[in-house]
Structures are given as C-alpha cells and as structure tokens.
C-alpha cells in the first residue's frame, strides 16, 4: 500500500508520540529502570546522542552499560521511539526519502521549517513526526497517515487521557484528505475495541 501511494505521487505521514530511540532502559536481571534524579520518571534513550534524557526537566546522563543496582551488563532498551521508527522505515524502504520532525531535530533556527517546506515540495516521501506534525501545518499531498502505537497515551495517569488521545488522533487524521483528495489512515493499537476508536 505504501509503495502504491508513492507511485501515485502521494506522500506518507507517520505519527508516533514518543521522542528518542527507546522509552527507557531496564536491567534484565533485577528489573531496575534508569530514572531521572529530579522527576523520578524513566529516562528515554536517545541513540544519536548516546544519552538518557528526561523529557520533563531535560536532565541528561551518558548511557549506561551496567546496572547501578546489581552491576549486571544485561541492560535492555524497552519501547519504540521516533528515532528507532525512522531507522526501521529507512531499512524497509531504502529507495524512499524518509525524514523526521520532532523537537529534538537539530540544524539551526530554520531547520524544522525547511523540512516542512521540502515535504510540501515533494522532496520527501515519508515524514515521521511527533505532535509537531499534528497541529497547524497544512500538508496538501498526504495520501496515507500511519499512527504507530496510537493507544500509548491512554495509559497516562490522568483522568483526561482518553480525551487527549482522541483529540490528538483526530488532529493527526486531519492531515490527510485535504482539499479534493481522499486519503487513508492506518492506526496501530493494542486496544482496537476501546471506545475512543
């Protein structure tokens, strides 16, 4: 389906609401999860920087190779972040131009604007992004929106999690079927019978 969309001159938008490469690192022997010293939440692993980063207070440490609790070197990355998603898509579709758009993208003041412009100029086949792509940007040629792990935010410890998830999904879905074109949406979820879908 994806290659057919590209052959028809359409573009793909992939949404994943997770920065970094892994959501967290965990010791496979004792179960320790590396957490932020300030916020006590799991640190996300960023492959390019080789750092563990708190997405709330920006606390950073170098990646670890052994567990601070038990000393084991059996540390494993858990979860899927945007960096890993882009890597997987590029390996699967090496002939296509795949770019990433999230708040971690570096490259100067106008780099994010340039990525959006290149996408709108059809120089990019697949754009993978976080919430940045969901709001306020007009992508006129999107034929397919893919939503990876669309139900992750349902598990946030907040009574508004369902409402936020629904609003975010609708904003992302709204990136396709612009103007006279009809587009398609593929939603990946572990809970397809949930009321918000």
């Amino acid at each position: 389906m994806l290659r057919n969309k590209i052959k028809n001159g359409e573009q793909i938008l992939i949404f994943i609401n997770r920065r970094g490469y892994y959501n967290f690192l965990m010791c496979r022997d004792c179960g320790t999860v590396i957490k932020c010293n300030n916020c006590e939440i799991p640190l996300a692993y960023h492959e390019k920087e080789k750092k563990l980063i708190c997405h709330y207070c920006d606390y950073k440490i170098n990646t670890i190779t052994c567990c601070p609790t038990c000393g084991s070197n059996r540390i494993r990355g858990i979860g899927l972040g945007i960096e890993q998603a882009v890597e997987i898509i590029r390996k699967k579709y090496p002939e296509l131009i795949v770019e990433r758009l999230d708040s971690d993208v570096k490259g100067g003041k106008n780099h994010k604007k340039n990525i959006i412009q290149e996408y709108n100029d059809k120089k990019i086949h697949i754009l993978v992004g976080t919430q940045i792509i969901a709001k306020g940007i007009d992508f006129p040629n999107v034929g397919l929106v893919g939503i990876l792990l669309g139900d992750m935010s349902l598990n946030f410890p907040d009574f508004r999690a369902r409402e936020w998830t629904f609003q975010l999904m609708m904003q992302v879905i709204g990136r396709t079927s612009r103007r006279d074109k009809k587009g398609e949406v593929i939603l990946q979820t572990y809970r397809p019978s949930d009321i918000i879908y």
Side-chain angles (χ1 to χ4, degrees), residues 17-82:
N17 198 20
R18 214 33 136 159
R19 291 165 47 209
Y21 194 88
Y22 292 123
N23 302 152
F24 58 89
L25 296 185
M26 183 179 82
C27 175
R28 293 192 306 183
D29 287 331
C30 74
T32 294
V33 172
I34 312 307
K35 294 184 178 179
C36 175
N37 281 354
N38 303 320
C39 305
E40 279 296 310
I41 63 160
L43 295 171
Y45 174 68
H46 289 245
E47 173 69 23
K48 190 173 182 183
E49 297 178 57
K50 304 281 191 234
K51 292 201 179 286
L52 294 163
I53 301 174
C54 176
H55 290 163
Y56 290 93
C57 74
D58 206 35
Y59 172 80
K60 296 178 184 179
I61 60 171
N62 291 329
T63 191
I64 62 163
T65 55
C66 65
C67 176
T69 304
C70 73
S72 169
N73 63 356
R74 292 175 17 101
I75 304 296
R76 180 178 181 199
I78 305 292
L80 177 72
I82 188 169

Side-chain angles (χ1 to χ4, degrees), residues 155-169:
N155 299 314
F156 287 171
D158 191 295
F159 70 93
R160 295 164 290 193
R162 277 194 153 55
E163 182 181 347
W164 287 341
T165 301
F166 179 76
Q167 288 174 348
L168 188 56
M169 294 304 106

